[in-house]
């Protein structure tokens, strides 16, 4: 399961007076289940940056599951030096044979191209924390250069259209 950034209970004004409170956490699909924990003690504020040292877990949630770990995420479009081309880059957990289809209108996608895919591992990183607790599996990085690009794009993977 994924460790998500922490949030102080003081963000909930009622936590000290009433012994209860609520926090709003933004969960990002990191291609893994998420467990949210509540910890007491262990906050060291003697340094410039606060750190946790031996926090005591009080409660944890059930696993929070995302519907689709493999959905295309983090799409980026970029121009090339050729004004008739655009590059599309995105990530997935592990899709095979990713393909992009595009055209001038929805339902009329006349161009398609298979993407090039790559990844990296913790061994490719320079050292801690990227190689230990800070490492996050990047998934697969996909890139395709589209010629005669249009504004309307559709990503296609395993017979699922995403607009």
């Amino acid at each position: 399961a994924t460790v998500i950034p922490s949030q102080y209970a003081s963000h909930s004004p009622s936590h000290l007076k009433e012994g209860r409170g609520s926090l709003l956490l933004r969960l990002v699909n990191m291609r893994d289940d998420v467990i949210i924990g509540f910890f007491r003690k262990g906050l060291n504020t003697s340094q410039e940056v606060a750190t946790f040292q031996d926090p005591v877990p009080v409660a944890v949630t059930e696993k929070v599951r995302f519907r689709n770990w493999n959905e295309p995420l983090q799409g980026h479009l970029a121009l090339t030096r050729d004004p008739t081309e655009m590059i599309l880059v995105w990530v997935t957990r592990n899709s095979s044979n990713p393909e992009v289809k595009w055209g001038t209108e929805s339902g009329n996608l006349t161009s398609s191209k298979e993407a090039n895919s790559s990844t990296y591992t913790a061994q490719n990183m320079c050292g801690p924390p990227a190689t230990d607790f800070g490492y996050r599996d990047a998934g697969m990085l996909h890139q395709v250069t589209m010629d005669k690009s249009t504004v309307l794009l559709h990503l296609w993977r395993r017979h699922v259209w995403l607009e």
Side-chain angles (χ1 to χ4, degrees):
T2 298
V3 176
I4 61 171
S6 61
Q7 190 174 91
Y8 296 107
S10 60
H11 283 108
S12 177
S14 64
H15 86 283
L16 287 178
K17 287 189 280 184
E18 301 173 25
R20 63 184 171 85
S22 64
L23 299 171
L24 181 63
L25 300 172
R26 180 173 182 225
L27 298 180
V28 176
N29 185 349
M30 296 293 287
R31 300 175 301 279
D32 202 355
D33 293 336
V34 176
I35 297 174
I36 301 168
F38 179 74
F39 297 85
R40 287 195 177 148
K41 302 182 181 180
L43 182 61
N44 179 359
T45 57
S46 63
Q47 301 171 5
E48 187 174 320
V49 176
T51 59
F52 287 100
Q53 294 177 338
D54 302 320
V56 178
V58 177
V60 294
T61 65
E62 297 290 325
K63 285 184 181 178
V64 177
R65 298 183 185 272
F66 289 93
R67 286 186 204 149
N68 183 1
W69 283 354
N70 210 32
E71 77 176 306
L73 298 170
Q74 303 176 34
H76 298 278
L77 281 173
L79 298 174
T80 69
R81 292 181 182 196
D82 182 338
T84 67
E85 292 180 338
M86 285 177 34
I87 294 174
L88 175 63
V89 180
W90 72 99
V91 297
T92 60
R93 183 175 183 169
N94 59 5
S95 69
S96 59
N97 303 322
E99 181 181 26
V100 174
K101 291 187 177 189
W102 70 97
T104 56
E105 59 187 70
S106 181
N108 187 22
L109 308 179
T110 56
S111 300
S112 67
K113 195 168 186 183
E114 191 169 316
N116 295 318
S117 301
S118 62
T119 192
Y120 58 88
T121 66
Q123 288 75 30
N124 300 119
M125 305 303 283
C126 58
T131 56
D132 52 30
F133 71 90
Y135 178 72
R136 170 129 258 351
D137 182 357
M140 295 299 297
L141 312 170
H142 309 287
Q143 177 177 321
V144 65
T145 301
M146 302 175 296
D147 53 356
K148 300 182 179 91
S149 298
T150 60
V151 175
L152 182 61
L153 296 172
H154 288 257
L155 294 179
W156 180 82
R157 185 188 62 75
R158 292 190 185 178
H159 311 291
V160 176
W161 292 98
L162 301 173
E163 290 188 328

